[in-house]
Amino acid sequence: MADKYDNLKNTPLIEAIKGGQLSAIKELIASGVDVNDAGEQGWTPLNWAAGKGDLDTVTLLVDSGADVFKVGRDQRTPYMIALAAGHASVVKFLRQAEDLVEGDKPTRPERKYCKAYVLKDLRQYQGWFESQINWKYKQTNGESAEGNNGIQFSDEDVVFIHQDFMVTKSMWHNENVIFDQTTSEWREFCADVLKFRVPDDLDLIVSAKSMASSGSS
């Protein structure tokens, strides 16, 4: 089924960006072309430059009025495109550019993350107590069931702290929840005592590159 992106063609500016022709890019911008005019897949010149990891062109486009929140068919901003491609310098620049935009603006999608701990470490928290919320367990016939099964937890049980500081027995967010009182005191305890921190986007890029380097050596 055709949609609004099917008949879009790349503009001369986009073609120059795809070819890495910085002098042509500057000439086109100086001539007054629309830096937000979309091409294939609804991607703007900034989307393409972000995907290529071309920081000079990205900087030039943003300085020339390119919309840092513009998305195409894939619903990804230039920041998200650069992040997926692992272009750390462009990610850092675009994040700063997004932060400088005044007024209402889209929020970055929450990244799912969790880290495993043994329960005895969490039980050090003064306000700790255990619940069984949205609990799923296996019955004797092997089928999944829900409800409070009266499970008792031991100090050595492995549990997971998620990006919103909820604690579950399952790796899946909001399933088999045993602690959901995510107060400022709990967050401070996680940071100070458990050293829990959700990785920054740039951390993930560095980690991915490091793993790729180790695999090729």
Side-chain angles (χ1 to χ4, degrees):
M1 181 178 174
D3 62 28
K4 63 182 180 179
Y5 301 113
D6 287 336
N7 296 320
L8 292 173
K9 304 297 182 183
N10 285 339
T11 66
L13 179 55
I14 289 174
E15 290 298 341
I17 290 170
K18 290 175 68 176
Q21 302 166 335
L22 186 58
S23 59
I25 294 166
K26 290 179 178 178
E27 290 176 5
L28 286 164
I29 292 175
S31 73
V33 299
D34 184 355
V35 294
N36 291 307
D37 196 6
E40 294 174 5
Q41 302 297 316
W43 275 23
T44 65
L46 185 56
N47 293 118
W48 285 102
K52 283 177 61 65
D54 187 343
L55 181 59
D56 289 339
T57 301
V58 166
T59 303
L60 179 60
L61 289 166
V62 171
D63 289 344
S64 301
D67 185 347
V68 294
F69 293 111
K70 196 77 171 178
V71 300
R73 171 182 271 161
D74 59 1
Q75 298 300 303
R76 292 189 297 169
T77 63
Y79 173 87
M80 294 163 66
I81 292 168
L83 180 63
H87 300 310
S89 60
V90 175
V91 167
K92 185 175 180 180
F93 175 83
L94 287 172
R95 179 164 62 184
Q96 293 171 342
E98 287 186 351
D99 291 341
L100 289 172
V101 174
E102 297 180 352
D104 293 337
K105 52 190 173 183
T107 57
R108 298 185 189 111
E110 182 182 63
R111 187 186 337 103
K112 302 301 183 184
Y113 176 79
C114 67
K115 184 176 180 181
Y117 291 87
V118 290
L119 189 53
K120 65 180 178 182
D121 292 339
L122 280 63
R123 283 173 166 170
Q124 298 175 59
Y125 175 56
Q126 187 173 8
W128 181 260
F129 65 92
E130 289 154 19
S131 304
Q132 290 184 32
I133 303 169
N134 194 27
W135 201 262
K136 298 182 180 180
Y137 60 92
K138 293 292 184 180
Q139 301 184 108
T140 55
N141 61 5
E143 295 182 358
S144 179
E146 298 182 359
N148 189 325
N149 198 31
I151 297 173
Q152 299 297 313
F153 306 110
S154 75
D155 277 351
E156 301 307 316
D157 277 344
V158 174
V159 296
F160 300 89
I161 301 179
H162 293 260
Q163 74 280 350
D164 59 356
F165 294 86
M166 178 183 291
V167 182
T168 66
K169 190 67 176 64
S170 163
M171 284 186 63
W172 308 112
H173 183 258
N174 205 34
E175 179 179 298
N176 290 14
V177 179
I178 65 174
F179 187 79
D180 64 350
Q181 303 300 305
T182 56
T183 61
S184 58
E185 292 81 7
W186 168 243
R187 291 169 183 259
E188 289 173 6
F189 173 84
C190 289
D192 297 341
V193 178
L194 302 179
K195 308 303 180 186
F196 175 79
R197 183 177 73 89
V198 178
D200 182 83
D201 288 340
L202 293 174
D203 295 334
L204 297 179
I205 291 177
V206 171
S207 176
K209 287 185 175 179
S210 184
M211 290 176 63
S213 177
S214 299
S216 61
S217 61

